[in-house]
Amino acid sequence: MLRPIKLAEVEFSQPLPTIEGLDGYATLKALVRLHGTPIGFVKLPVDAGKCTGPALRKSILHDLSWGILQHHLADLLAGPRPNGLQLDDLNNAPHIEYHGDLPMVTVAVCTRDRAADLARCLEALSLIDYPSFEVLVVDNAPSSDATEHLVREKYPDVRYIREERPGLDWARNRAIAEAQGDIIAYTDDDVVVDPGWVSALAKVFAENADVMAVTGLVVAYELDTPAQILFEMYGGFGRSFQRRWYQAPRGTWDRSLIYQGAGQFGTGANMAYRLSVFDEIGCFDPALDVGTVTNGGGDLEMFFRVLKHGHTLVYEPAAFVRHRHRREYEQLRTQLFNNGIGLYSYFVRSARAYEDERWPFMRLAIWWLLFWHLKRLASSIVKPTRFPRGLILAELWGSILGPARYRKAALTAHEGGEVRSIDIPNGSTGAAKGRKWGTAIRTVDLDVPLGAITDVADYGHTRVFVLRDGRPIGSVDINNVHKPISVARLRDAIVKHLTWAIIKDGGTISNAPGWQGAFFKQSAPLDEPAKPKNHEMLPAYVPVSIVIGTHDRPEDLRNCLQSLTSQISLRRVEIVVVDNNPASGVTPGVVAQFPGVRLVSEARKGVAYARNAGITATTGDIVVTVDDDVTVPPGWLEQLVAPFSKGDVMAVTGNIWPLEMETRSQQLFEEYGGLGRGFDTFEINGDWFESYRVRSVPTWYLGGTANAAFRASIFNDPQIGLMDEALGPGMPSGVGEDTYLFYRVLKAGHKMLYQPHAYAWHRHRRDMAALKRQIYNYSKGHVAYHLTTLIRDHDLRSCVRLAIGLPLAHTWRIAQRLRLRSAYPLSLIMVEIAGNIAGPWGLWRSWRRVIRQGRSAPYSTPVREQVDIVELPRIEEYQETGITQ
């Protein structure tokens, strides 16, 4: 039996009271607010008719500490930070407040013959705390004058409008025609709004000019009857306690999964629009929703239409209302039956209105039928639950009837005329022609106040790399769809995706289990010091050599050298450029522009040949390798070589970011996996190497020699030596020279370290033909590498990778693509498979070439003489970075 649940609210920034008078209730469900913003629910058993304040506090700290932490972090990021981002300030961060101008708001309550419910709704609206708003009641085809009497006699400040045409969307459209505000906010007559509801909605519009629709949180008003509890078990109207931003990508594989399932965005009981948007996209379709044979879907269709036309919709949980659920089982059954009708009516309406959406909507309708309705029905038969099967069947039956209902409702609606046209150009998306659908690359540093990113209007997507103290801690992807990115949206993305990265980077973690005491005013003081800003670095007397192999890419090489010669360091640094095609005469002219840079020629084609020639020519204790299509920030070198201050570290790899993602090929390369290996530092050694008992050692996860450093002495180690000339770009084998070098370093028992703070920018291939060649070569090289470890090192683990691991990986990726869970094209998977098949032949050809051309001269410890070094920026600039020796 479902027993009543008592609902309550508590403010966590205030002392928590003991809640009494709970006799007859077994459970208390408390909505927890922090600075007025809802952050989640906690459920507690009722003990002797009450729930004590300490019990509430314990439950909140256990269940909602992460939400509290994110709330405080958002406040901290929103405020001024004269000393940079100090996590100790989380305890004192003032709550975010908006102090700008707020728009005039019209609140529209559409009602029909429910005067008692309406009275409760209007009473709550009378408590609204907002400087400029009006309330409009639209009485939709009433059967009596009870509603009119209520409004005129008890609420004289409320405007009363009578709309004779039956249908909720007729009433909504009439409200649009009558509204005096810039924003129109809709709620239902069975809703009780929070006093801050209008303010929370309006602030989103005020802070973000591109936002055209806002929805909010809907919680239960009461849970006194089994039907009301069942509706909450079904999912209720609640969506999330975290703000969400929605914009529709176009031309992508997964549009239906992203924005055609419009129920994820909110509900008509709590939604608001910029009034001007209806001039562009039309008003609500009167063939949908309550009062017609479709019985729903009008709100979902409008959410979809806003996004379809290229606008932004925001779900704002701070704008919340309480909904009085149906009290009786039969009322709930009818509601779910109507939900099924309304959803599929919305599918039909949108598929008819937009020709380019017909297949995606059909696919979504089939998916919903199979994986929502039929799967739940089958599960209820196999394993009965407390949720009645009759309710599942009711919604299923409504979904079956829904497609036929819209056509009938549309004929009726067109007979009634329109307040404003709902006609829209077929296939319109609101996107300006000629704009790029590439991805913009931007960086922000949390040690300075966040600002809006306004220079991305030419891009449909933006990747933001987030730094702290100049060191990367993560990245966030924002689907901005040719709109600037507001401070609020940027802050939300950082808090949502990088909270743990920020806290971990700060080194301040509470000892309390489960985050129960972490980073908020009500918890214990922070108990661990933050990491110092000045990190241990490699002593300045250790010389470093940088090796760049190049093959007729003068512009890339020039950019690379420009960034390398701008490094800030006190140490002796030599830069060696290896010309891998000296016959062309292209490279010497570029090198001559950079005094102190040495030029070495290596006519034998292949990256391994070129790097080996450079390594043997170096004189530094540390040898750094970079590619010519890489550029680096000024502090890169010191970050990369810093781990060598530990005497047992023999190799270090760094992070590699895309310099640009302008073209489809550059975006797909990131989908393929890119070159970066994340933002977490990790160390590995011989123990890690030997821990793989059956599977091959995944050295390809360790980075690459496009951004790597080695202790020069390893090249003298007979177990390691120089790079294998049969592997790598420029050879028929494709790639693999770096992964095999890592393999030998680890096999010899040495330690490697991945240093994400040492990040470099890589220019990905700009056209599809070049990308396919690259992926083909990567796939050949992957097989060639494993065959090399099998033949030369007798490592039988490679057989498992080649015979089982690769086929399974390709099968899984093909299945993910066919199930629409991946955007990676099948054509590129086929290129990878073809490359894997060609790997053995490519390796054999490479061996033959090495036999003809000979191997590189062995590395020998250099005798340091007077050699060319690069004059890097000196001590004044060096000290500005905060790096110490």
Side-chain angles (χ1 to χ4, degrees):
M1 179 179 178
L2 298 174
R3 298 186 62 185
I5 299 172
K6 179 63 176 179
L7 299 179
E9 291 183 17
V10 295
E11 171 56 54
F12 194 56
S13 64
Q14 302 295 326
L16 298 177
T18 293
I19 300 177
E20 299 182 300
L22 304 181
D23 296 327
Y25 294 96
T27 305
L28 171 72
K29 185 176 182 180
L31 176 66
V32 181
R33 304 172 72 162
L34 180 56
H35 302 128
T37 301
I39 59 172
F41 281 109
V42 292
K43 293 181 71 173
L44 295 87
V46 173
D47 185 7
K50 64 182 179 181
C51 282
T52 66
L56 270 172
R57 176 183 172 78
K58 181 179 179 180
S59 182
I60 292 169
L61 291 177
H62 184 274
D63 295 344
L64 302 180
S65 54
W66 187 255
I68 295 171
L69 169 63
Q70 290 193 314
H71 177 95
H72 282 298
L73 182 57
D75 285 344
L76 180 61
L77 292 178
R81 299 188 296 280
N83 298 318
L85 181 64
Q86 301 292 328
L87 293 183
D88 289 31
D89 294 337
L90 273 174
N91 283 349
N92 303 307
H95 182 54
I96 302 170
E97 296 289 349
Y98 178 75
H99 299 289
D101 295 333
L102 293 171
M104 167 75 175
V105 176
T106 294
V107 175
V109 184
C110 301
T111 185
R112 185 181 189 184
D113 294 342
R114 295 201 295 196
D117 285 335
L118 179 63
R120 187 184 303 109
C121 175
L122 293 178
E123 192 62 34
L125 286 170
S126 68
L127 302 176
I128 288 288
D129 179 18
Y130 191 76
S132 178
F133 79 106
E134 64 166 349
V135 178
L136 180 66
V137 169
V138 182
D139 197 2
N140 186 216
S143 61
S144 71
D145 57 1
T147 296
E148 183 176 5
H149 282 310
L150 170 71
V151 174
R152 298 193 186 283
E153 292 176 7
K154 293 190 175 182
Y155 300 97
D157 294 333
V158 173
R159 277 206 292 148
Y160 174 85
I161 302 295
R162 189 182 186 101
E163 172 54 58
E164 295 292 353
R165 291 167 293 189
L168 179 55
D169 277 358
W170 282 121
R172 287 169 173 162
N173 289 343
R174 181 64 181 273
I176 293 171
E178 299 284 347
Q180 298 176 359
D182 301 313
I183 307 298
I184 183 167
Y186 290 97
T187 192
D188 290 348
D189 54 13
D190 54 0
V191 158
V192 174
V193 304
D194 183 74
W197 173 62
V198 171
S199 179
L201 291 172
K203 287 176 183 177
V204 178
F205 288 108
E207 290 182 300
N208 306 276
D210 62 309
V211 171
M212 291 294 163
V214 179
T215 62
L217 175 67
V218 180
V219 301
Y221 175 74
E222 62 186 10
L223 292 176
D224 290 343
T225 72
Q228 292 174 325
I229 297 172
L230 283 173
F231 185 65
E232 283 295 294
M233 291 172 58
Y234 166 82
F237 289 122
R239 294 298 179 266
S240 170
F241 288 92
Q242 191 170 55
R243 186 186 296 121
R244 294 178 177 175
W245 302 73
Y246 296 101
Q247 288 171 312
R250 287 172 286 277
T252 60
W253 61 279
D254 56 354
R255 291 179 302 167
S256 64
L257 300 181
I258 291 177
Y259 77 113
Q260 289 171 339
Q264 65 185 304
F265 306 136
T267 180
N270 186 1
M271 62 182 183
Y273 300 88
R274 221 178 272 277
L275 200 65
S276 60
V277 76
F278 298 111
D279 291 324
E280 176 190 341
I281 70 175
C283 295
F284 290 87
D285 185 346
L288 293 171
D289 233 303
V290 179
T292 73
V293 293
T294 61
N295 282 306
D299 49 357
L300 305 184
E301 190 276 329
M302 184 54 72
F303 299 156
F304 165 74
R305 206 187 318 165
V306 167
L307 295 175
K308 176 67 177 174
H309 282 254
H311 299 302
T312 303
L313 181 151
V314 175
Y315 169 77
E316 173 54 82
F320 80 98
V321 302
R322 304 164 189 84
H323 179 264
R324 193 166 187 258
H325 300 339
R326 306 296 188 270
R327 293 181 61 86
E328 304 300 330
Y329 180 86
E330 282 305 315
Q331 294 175 328
L332 175 61
R333 185 180 181 280
T334 299
Q335 180 184 5
L336 297 185
F337 172 72
N338 290 337
N339 284 354
I341 294 175
L343 179 65
Y344 275 75
S345 296
Y346 149 62
F347 289 166
V348 171
R349 191 270 178 206
S350 299
R352 289 177 59 178
Y354 298 96
E355 185 177 351
D356 61 322
E357 301 288 350
R358 289 178 183 173
W359 162 240
F361 268 110
M362 183 181 297
R363 186 179 67 197
L364 178 58
I366 295 171
W367 184 91
W368 192 258
L369 182 67
L370 293 176
F371 293 98
W372 176 252
H373 294 308
L374 296 181
K375 182 179 179 181
R376 286 198 311 153
L377 180 60
S379 297
S380 72
I381 295 173
V382 175
K383 183 182 178 181
T385 66
R386 290 177 296 168
F387 195 78
R389 191 179 307 147
L391 297 180
I392 299 174
L393 288 169
E395 189 178 10
L396 171 61
W397 182 238
S399 298
I400 294 172
L401 297 179
R405 292 286 185 94
Y406 179 76
R407 181 178 179 84
K408 180 179 179 181
L411 293 174
T412 302
H414 285 297
E415 295 173 358
E418 301 219 18
V419 177
R420 272 197 206 173
S421 173
I422 62 166
D423 295 332
I424 49 180
N426 188 39
S428 172
T429 63
K433 294 182 179 180
R435 283 176 167 170
K436 304 173 186 176
W437 284 104
T439 298
I441 303 293
R442 299 292 183 267
T443 60
V444 299
D445 196 318
L446 297 183
D447 284 329
V448 298
L450 294 177
I453 303 177
T454 59
D455 59 346
V456 292
D458 286 337
Y459 295 89
H461 195 86
T462 300
R463 176 167 295 177
V464 181
F465 289 98
V466 181
L467 311 177
R468 184 172 178 223
D469 190 23
R471 295 173 289 111
I473 61 171
S475 67
V476 294
D477 286 351
I478 299 176
N479 181 39
N480 59 292
V481 192
H482 301 305
K483 303 290 196 309
I485 299 172
S486 68
V487 175
R489 186 170 189 188
L490 178 60
R491 183 177 62 244
D492 286 351
I494 291 172
V495 171
K496 178 179 179 181
H497 297 288
L498 298 181
T499 294
W500 170 244
I502 294 171
I503 299 304
K504 180 179 61 177
D505 180 74
T508 311
I509 301 176
S510 172
N511 287 330
W515 293 97
Q516 293 176 13
F519 304 107
F520 43 89
K521 297 176 182 178
Q522 296 76 13
S523 69
L526 302 179
D527 49 23
E528 294 185 11
K531 291 180 181 177
K533 282 185 175 291
N534 296 325
H535 308 283
E536 184 177 0
M537 306 300 288
L538 183 68
Y541 58 76
V542 179
V544 171
S545 300
I546 303 175
V547 175
I548 314 164
T550 187
H551 189 284
D552 294 350
R553 295 200 289 200
E555 288 304 316
D556 284 337
L557 178 61
R558 183 177 291 106
N559 292 332
C560 178
L561 288 174
Q562 183 63 53
S563 69
L564 291 176
T565 54
S566 299
Q567 291 302 296
I568 300 174
S569 178
L570 290 175
R571 71 186 68 257
R572 172 183 175 275
V573 176
E574 68 172 342
I575 299 176
V576 178
V577 174
V578 183
D579 186 356
N580 204 210
N581 188 26
S584 70
V586 171
T587 300
V590 177
V591 175
Q593 299 172 21
F594 298 89
V597 174
R598 297 170 56 199
L599 178 63
V600 173
S601 295
E602 174 53 78
R604 294 172 294 182
K605 185 178 179 181
V607 164
Y609 274 123
R611 286 195 175 129
N612 287 345
I615 292 169
T616 56
T618 60
T619 62
D621 291 345
I622 307 297
V623 176
V624 175
T625 61
V626 296
D627 286 352
D628 58 3
D629 55 359
V630 160
T631 55
V632 291
W636 159 81
L637 179 62
E638 290 304 318
Q639 292 287 355
L640 184 65
V641 301
F644 290 107
S645 61
K646 301 178 181 179
D648 58 345
V649 172
M650 293 296 167
V652 177
T653 58
N655 207 345
I656 303 176
W657 297 349
L659 178 65
E660 61 181 20
M661 294 173 64
E662 302 275 347
T663 68
R664 180 63 174 152
S665 63
Q666 291 174 325
Q667 296 168 33
L668 284 174
F669 185 66
E670 285 295 300
E671 290 281 346
Y672 170 76
L675 298 173
R677 294 298 179 261
F679 297 89
D680 293 326
T681 301
F682 58 82
E683 294 182 357
I684 54 175
N685 54 25
D687 293 338
W688 180 83
F689 179 88
E690 294 173 1
S691 68
Y692 288 85
R693 300 181 182 278
V694 177
R695 294 185 296 128
S696 57
V697 183
T699 54
W700 52 94
Y701 290 146
L702 306 182
T705 45
N707 183 14
F710 304 89
R711 205 175 291 275
S713 59
I714 70 167
F715 300 115
N716 257 338
D717 188 331
Q719 297 184 73
I720 302 173
L722 294 170
M723 296 186 182
D724 190 329
E725 297 90 344
L727 300 173
M731 299 297 284
S733 59
V735 298
E737 83 294 349
D738 45 7
T739 51
Y740 189 47
L741 179 59
F742 301 157
Y743 177 93
R744 286 183 289 172
V745 170
L746 295 169
K747 183 184 177 185
H750 296 306
K751 180 182 287 186
M752 285 188 62
L753 185 141
Y754 173 70
Q755 172 65 295
H757 302 331
Y759 63 94
W761 302 96
H762 178 264
R763 187 183 297 278
H764 297 344
R765 307 298 191 270
R766 292 185 60 88
D767 61 86
M768 288 300 298
L771 174 64
K772 288 181 178 180
R773 287 194 300 271
Q774 182 181 20
I775 290 178
Y776 180 74
N777 285 326
Y778 278 18
S779 302
K780 282 197 303 179
H782 190 69
V783 171
Y785 156 73
H786 281 92
L787 289 175
T788 300
T789 64
L790 174 64
I791 296 169
R792 292 194 175 174
D793 300 273
H794 311 294
D795 193 335
L796 296 180
R797 293 174 295 183
S798 298
C799 297
V800 177
R801 176 66 178 176
L802 295 174
I804 300 175
L806 276 178
L808 286 178
H810 291 315
T811 300
W812 182 82
R813 293 172 70 204
I814 291 171
Q816 289 293 98
R817 182 67 181 96
L818 293 177
R819 295 177 67 184
L820 303 177
R821 293 184 177 179
S822 169
Y824 193 71
L826 286 174
S827 59
L828 291 185
I829 299 177
M830 295 301 108
V831 168
E832 292 183 52
I833 294 172
N836 291 155
I837 294 171
W841 172 243
L843 180 60
W844 185 84
R845 291 174 58 207
S846 295
W847 284 343
R848 298 294 298 173
R849 181 182 291 184
V850 171
I851 291 173
R852 292 195 306 270
Q853 297 182 156
R855 292 198 174 273
S856 302
Y859 175 84
S860 60
T861 303
V863 178
R864 292 198 181 96
E865 300 174 354
Q866 185 63 35
V867 297
D868 292 330
I869 62 171
V870 178
E871 292 293 333
L872 297 180
R874 304 316 297 163
I875 186 67
E876 293 80 9
E877 298 161 282
Y878 184 78
Q879 289 176 332
E880 290 175 3
T881 67
I883 299 173
T884 61
Q885 296 302 310

